[in-house]
Amino acid sequence: MTDRLKALLSSAPRYPQRIVCMTEETTETLYRIGAGDLVVGVSGFTVRPPEARGKPRVSSFLDANFERILELKPDLVLGFSDLQADLGRELCKRGVPVVLFNQRSLAEILQTVRVVGALVGRAEAAEKLADELEANLARHAEAAERLPRRPRIFFEEWHEPLISGIRWCSELVELVGGEDVCRESREQQGAKGRIFDPAEVARRNPEGVIASWCGRKAKREKIISRPGWERVTAVVDDQLYEVKSTFILQPGPASLTDGVDQLARIVAAIARGEKLPPPRPGDLRAAPLPAHGAQGHD
């Protein structure tokens, strides 16, 4: 290689070295594959992994501090969903390389893990992580086959208006042994296509309700006070649960580890006619997290 070519190629590293993540799942993926040191800015909603919370917070989900991002001199910004398209466009106009993912299914989540690793020159580590995540899903799928039955489940992502679970949540409910009563809505790209009249959900009579209100604590009173819901089996049997949004509503490692682990315990309890306890009196019921790593059904 000539000195002239060396000089030309030295203007940028072989792979990005300064990465801003505008959502949590790419941050967690980078840390999980040993590339956390490359992250120079994160979303203000980031909680996983805990050590990432010390990085500069430069965005919410729908807004970003463009000047702060530029100060960090990123050579790559990662985002998620069409809802961040305007943020990505503005950063592109300012000369920043941007990759926006739009994963919705379990298969797409695993693909995104692999692509993120390839973008930073850690393809092998990302492949290993994706394989580990897939193996955890396989354990749950196998355990679901041993359940005595498949209970009807309503996964609610928001309460007013009532929104059913995004595709990967619906797929996870099915994978761990439940029947999503609003399964058809998971094909919808946006939340507007997953809005349901509470009366229609009541008509479908779920045996269990799993609430995960994005960034907000789910309230039992809000659920049981819906007109006609006093006759819903999940309400009559008090099979009302919450999975915190940080575990299940980000399309990355969290939902395929802690998220699916909690869903599996909940669905298994309902299938067996059991009840998991609430964390505190008056709270929705919940599944305790496994003490060590991803696990299957009890």
Side-chain angles (χ1 to χ4, degrees), residues 22-23 60-64 79-89 100-102 104 157 166 189-192 194 214:
M22 296 193 295
T23 52
S60 62
F61 189 57
L62 298 177
D63 296 290
F80 163 67
S81 116
D82 49 292
L83 295 177
Q84 289 196 329
D86 288 342
L87 304 184
R89 180 175 58 190
L100 285 183
F101 296 101
N102 218 2
R104 292 293 194 279
E157 189 179 315
I166 198 166
Q189 177 77 5
K192 289 182 179 180
R194 293 183 280 113
C214 188

Side-chain angles (χ1 to χ4, degrees), residues 180-197:
D180 180 3
V181 299
C182 295
R183 184 183 189 280
E184 77 276 10
S185 66
R186 74 187 189 192
E187 301 300 328
Q188 298 296 317
Q189 177 77 5
K192 289 182 179 180
R194 293 183 280 113
I195 295 175
F196 280 84
D197 186 326

